[in-house]
Amino acid sequence: MNIKIYNDNGTNSIKQIKEIEESLNYKLPKLFKELMMKHDALRLDNDVFDFINYYEEEDERDINFSSFKKECKNSFILDEQINVNDVSNNGIIDLVVFGFCANGDYVCFDYRHNPITDNPKVVLVYHDDFVDYEDGRSHMVINHIADSFEEFMDMLHE
């Protein structure tokens, strides 16, 4: 993992991270927790990732990491979860927003297939693109990005 730090909001204690983890009711990846202990609300110079989008085209986005501090009103990780509420399964949200893109999309850990893992896949949730069903239901488009947080971090470039 080769990260180039542009800015952050200080450090987080393991206690802060465990409290967030308990509130989310999911186990966060070890590498993610280690990174967030050192760099809250992390902004990177090498913050761009490439992927094949939902429409099978080459695409790219940037990432800004959410904060573990309540006073960070614009990016507090627990506040961010409401943004993917409509991507739910019987009222249970199995996606955890951990970052956001400049265009408004969300970068999430995906626990839909294994809610007890500490090594979830990483997905992109499109904030303004929806899948519509015949019964009138719809949800935001979810796009696979990486099979793990470590793989996601290795994808980042300037």
Side-chain angles (χ1 to χ4, degrees):
M1 176 175 74
N2 181 21
I3 64 171
K4 297 177 184 172
I5 298 168
Y6 171 73
N7 194 9
D8 67 22
N9 189 35
T11 61
N12 290 299
S13 70
I14 190 66
K15 181 181 180 217
Q16 283 172 291
I17 292 174
K18 286 184 187 258
E19 286 173 0
I20 297 294
E21 209 171 28
E22 287 174 17
S23 294
L24 293 169
N25 205 26
Y26 293 104
K27 294 177 184 172
L28 299 170
K30 181 180 178 187
L31 180 62
F32 175 72
K33 291 187 289 189
E34 290 170 357
L35 190 58
M36 295 304 104
M37 281 178 64
K38 296 175 185 172
H39 307 285
D40 185 64
L42 180 62
R43 304 293 182 262
L44 298 168
D45 276 333
N46 55 332
D47 63 351
V48 175
F49 58 96
D50 302 318
F51 63 99
I52 302 299
N53 70 22
Y54 183 77
Y55 307 100
E56 299 182 6
E57 301 166 339
E58 291 183 17
D59 209 339
E60 70 176 26
R61 294 288 189 285
D62 64 343
I63 183 168
N64 294 298
F65 289 85
S66 297
S67 174
F68 278 68
K69 297 177 181 176
K70 292 178 188 173
E71 60 270 14
C72 263
K73 304 232 185 283
N74 294 356
S75 68
F76 180 50
I77 191 166
L78 293 181
D79 292 345
E80 293 290 326
Q81 304 316 309
I82 192 75
N83 295 321
V84 294
N85 247 343
D86 63 345
V87 184
S88 63
N89 179 13
N90 299 326
I92 300 170
I93 304 165
D94 290 325
L95 300 175
V96 171
V97 178
F98 69 88
F100 48 93
C101 305
N103 75 338
D105 291 341
Y106 308 103
V107 184
C108 305
F109 293 124
D110 184 357
Y111 293 92
R112 292 175 298 161
H113 303 289
N114 186 355
I116 61 170
T117 187
D118 66 352
N119 190 27
K121 294 179 181 180
V122 174
V123 296
L124 182 70
V125 178
Y126 297 23
H127 78 286
D128 62 354
D129 202 356
F130 292 82
V131 175
D132 298 316
Y133 297 100
E134 289 180 13
D135 66 3
R137 293 180 306 119
S138 68
H139 68 74
M140 289 186 281
V141 170
I142 302 169
N143 198 113
H144 177 268
I145 299 298
D147 287 332
S148 68
F149 182 69
E150 187 171 345
E151 181 179 308
F152 173 72
M153 292 301 291
D154 287 341
M155 295 169 68
L156 296 177
H157 62 88
E158 291 183 43

